[in-house]
Amino acid sequence: MSKSKMLLIILISFVPFFFGSFNQPKREDVKFNLSNHQTFSTDAKAFVTLFSPPQFKKYRMKLLKIDDQLKFVEAMNKKIFANQFDVITTDGEHLLQFTSVVNEWNFFPSSPNHWMSYNIDLGIISKPGLYVVQAISDNKVAYAPVVVSNYSIVYKVSNNELLGFLSDNRTGRFQANAEFTLMSRGIDSVVKFSSNDEGIAFTKLDPKFETHAISQLIVKKNNEIILSNPYLYFSGERENLIAYVYTNQPVYRPGQEVNFKSIIRKQRGNELVNIDSKEFLVTIKSPRNNEVFSEEMRTNDFGSLAGNFKLDENAEIGDYIISFEGEGTTLFGSFTVEEYKKPEFKVTVQTTEKRYSRKDTINIKVNADYYFGSPVTNATVVVGVYRKAFWIPWWYWSEHNWFYDRFSKISYWNAQPQLINSVEGIVNDKGEFSFSYPIDEKEEQDFTYEFVATVTDQSRRAIIGAAETFVTRGAFNLSISTDKYFIKKNDNIEIRVDAIDFDRKPVLTDVKLIINRVEFKKNSFEETVATLNSKTNEKGRAAFNFKPEAEGFYRYAATAYDEKGNKISAHGSFYVVSENLSDFYQRPESGIEIVTDKESYNKGDTLSAFVFIPHKNVDVLLTFEINRIISHQKISVRENIFEVKQILTDEFSPSFNINVVYSFGGELHN
């Protein structure tokens, strides 16, 4: 399945900003900082944070409004890789010429003799825009941005297409006829386009356009300028080195040769830049911090360097650290040295049966034999008893189980093992240790029991052996599922029950199905609305059809019995909504949820999906995507639920993604 490469940016993304002195004091000088990491609406109190050392007793504060944001953006776009905001650009242009003073005041730290952080209250800034707070003390100055807006920009770029919208944070509605301007690095010209009458903006991009080169998306609406990443020009995109460090094998023995390689890149925002012909000091240290290798090396034309060295025959055992020091930073990798000694004997653990029920007794036998043929005698044995819950995944009976099976190396999904008991003993003259373990399971769950035996002989050499067995509620397992998870009232739903034993063979058995409707209003109650009986067929499956007459939440449970009378059950749930999707209670899950009516489709089928969102009366953008956007649609949602239908043509094959995104209250929901 190909995933669409996309970039999703929203105006209110939280990023911290710290700015140093305008005069660039020496490193040892004490500095103060201003920071801000949020966007404010026009009816919220704005503030910035001042980090003040005890050396500064008074600050002269200014709130400046950037009057010409477009010119400001153009000037700052020339130096977005600066590590600090500076009011003077690399071309000598003074950025404060684009600002006007809104307010001036003095600030006196309340704890002038201590390092403290203070929230500087700016009050409610009723006019949207981009502002700058200036703090001056002695001969030093710091700046912090303040963004005030009631809008958010949301966009994605895929296959040289840009799709997005401008959303009102107060209403969640898309804004029609907004003017979009895309600025980027690597292309001289800008891209201009507008949102249509529905508020959706779409444009084709030049084939040479690099999606990660987007620096800013600017939207103009009602004489207001909105930036997709307004803080970019204040924080700068800091450059840092990253490296992929690896060896030709993860573990070595003493005396072996270690071959190592490092691929080094400089990271600029979303870009990775090649680092060629740069010197690095490569050092390898042992677990006891002893230096075993050191050499100056230079990266090649591809930004990588490689080397090798031979471990000493008496090399220390443990983890070794490889460091690459250069360009003002240090990068690290590691490998392990272990001493291997061939075991002199082997340990086997056996149980008399492969599967047990919850009241059975397990008979375990531990056997220890030297490889030259004699049994291990006078050896101690410690057997740890581990238990872990397991269940057969729902997709096991699907016609597409081959697809899901690749997500797990084991046939059954297991939980984490728990140590529930320990048994100690001594092997006899035959190298054997046997014991019985009674099972006393009360939980309605299937388990695997693992018996891990550690045998320690007279030379204090410890060897481990293990065996695993099933401890189940009955002779087989039930799995239950529906063909749909959400249906409309009076639609038919099929409930499938599968019975399979633990050798993966189908089981013929009687099955009883009970369906209950649950009411969650003032006086919660649960009533049985159907009791159905059936038998599994030669494939171990029983199918039940049910047509609910009322909307709401339904629980169902299937019950069967094995030959010993052990009760085996499985349960699930589904939802029923009214024809117009109203009167549907709020979903318990938070965020957006998309539920399709089937797990797979054929070409020509019509997909039906219910979409649940946490807000009402908002606009959402629905897209169907592969490695590109197949289609997009604006949907004005009235309730917390809406239905999506789509005819699946050839372009949806073999798989596709459904995406729903909207912005409300300054938060992105996707």
Side-chain angles (χ1 to χ4, degrees), residues 129-418:
L130 184 57
Y131 295 79
V132 175
V133 176
Q134 180 190 69
I136 300 175
S137 187
D138 295 338
N139 64 339
K140 295 180 175 64
V141 61
Y143 296 90
V146 175
V147 177
V148 179
S149 180
N150 295 315
Y151 294 108
S152 295
I153 301 172
V154 179
Y155 72 94
K156 63 177 66 179
V157 177
S158 173
N159 200 35
N160 294 108
E161 295 177 342
L162 187 148
L163 175 68
F165 57 85
L166 179 71
S167 178
D168 190 320
N169 293 331
R170 297 161 296 186
T171 64
R173 297 297 185 185
F174 295 178
Q175 300 301 297
N177 306 314
E179 300 174 11
F180 284 69
T181 301
L182 178 62
M183 302 183 70
S184 63
R185 300 186 294 273
I187 297 180
D188 295 332
S189 61
V190 297
V191 181
K192 293 181 178 293
F193 53 102
S194 299
S195 59
N196 59 20
D197 292 339
E198 289 191 326
I200 295 178
F202 177 82
T203 186
K204 292 276 189 179
L205 301 175
D206 192 296
K208 65 181 179 180
F209 187 89
E210 297 181 4
T211 57
H212 63 264
I214 294 175
S215 64
Q216 197 68 263
L217 186 60
I218 305 167
V219 182
K220 185 177 180 180
K221 179 67 177 177
N222 298 330
N223 296 319
E224 181 181 345
I225 300 297
I226 304 99
L227 306 179
S228 62
N229 191 4
Y231 292 131
L232 171 66
Y233 306 112
F234 293 90
S235 65
E237 292 189 7
R238 298 181 181 271
E239 298 179 349
N240 62 287
L241 293 186
I242 61 174
Y244 176 49
V245 181
Y246 60 98
T247 55
N248 64 314
Q249 60 191 61
V251 182
Y252 298 87
R253 297 183 195 175
Q256 285 188 322
E257 183 177 81
V258 178
N259 293 277
F260 60 85
K261 185 175 183 178
S262 176
I263 301 173
I264 303 174
R265 295 290 183 266
K266 181 177 290 185
Q267 187 174 32
R268 292 177 178 171
N270 293 324
E271 293 182 283
L272 293 178
V273 181
N274 188 27
I275 298 297
D276 60 329
S277 192
K278 298 294 182 182
E279 284 195 354
F280 287 85
L281 175 62
V282 182
T283 304
I284 301 179
K285 292 187 176 182
S286 71
R288 296 180 183 175
N289 207 35
N290 294 318
E291 188 176 285
V292 297
F293 177 88
S294 181
E295 184 179 324
E296 290 278 355
M297 305 183 74
R298 184 178 291 272
T299 57
N300 60 21
D301 293 342
F302 302 100
S304 65
L305 50 83
N308 60 77
F309 85 104
K310 189 174 182 180
L311 289 163
D312 188 86
E313 293 292 342
N314 297 315
E316 296 174 25
I317 306 302
D319 295 328
Y320 284 67
I321 302 297
I322 312 176
S323 64
F324 300 83
E325 184 178 355
E327 296 293 294
T329 189
T330 303
L331 308 166
F332 297 95
S334 66
F335 62 90
T336 302
V337 176
E338 291 184 357
E339 184 179 11
Y340 176 77
K341 184 179 180 182
K342 185 178 180 180
E344 297 177 354
F345 63 93
K346 65 178 180 179
V347 174
T348 58
V349 182
Q350 294 178 318
T351 58
T352 53
E353 303 291 339
K354 292 183 178 180
R355 188 187 61 79
Y356 296 87
S357 296
R358 62 181 69 188
K359 296 296 181 181
D360 291 344
T361 296
I362 304 175
N363 295 311
I364 303 101
K365 181 171 149 181
V366 180
N367 194 280
D369 291 302
Y370 288 107
Y371 282 102
F372 52 78
S374 298
V376 178
T377 58
N378 297 319
T380 60
V381 183
V382 178
V383 182
V385 183
Y386 294 86
R387 184 189 74 172
K388 54 185 176 182
F390 83 94
W391 58 96
I392 300 175
W394 62 270
W395 47 258
Y396 180 82
W397 289 273
S398 166
E399 60 180 317
H400 303 285
N401 59 7
W402 54 267
F403 175 80
Y404 297 101
D405 194 43
R406 65 180 179 169
F407 294 111
S408 177
K409 293 181 180 180
I410 55 177
S411 301
Y412 302 93
W413 286 4
N414 290 267
Q416 290 296 320
Q418 295 177 316

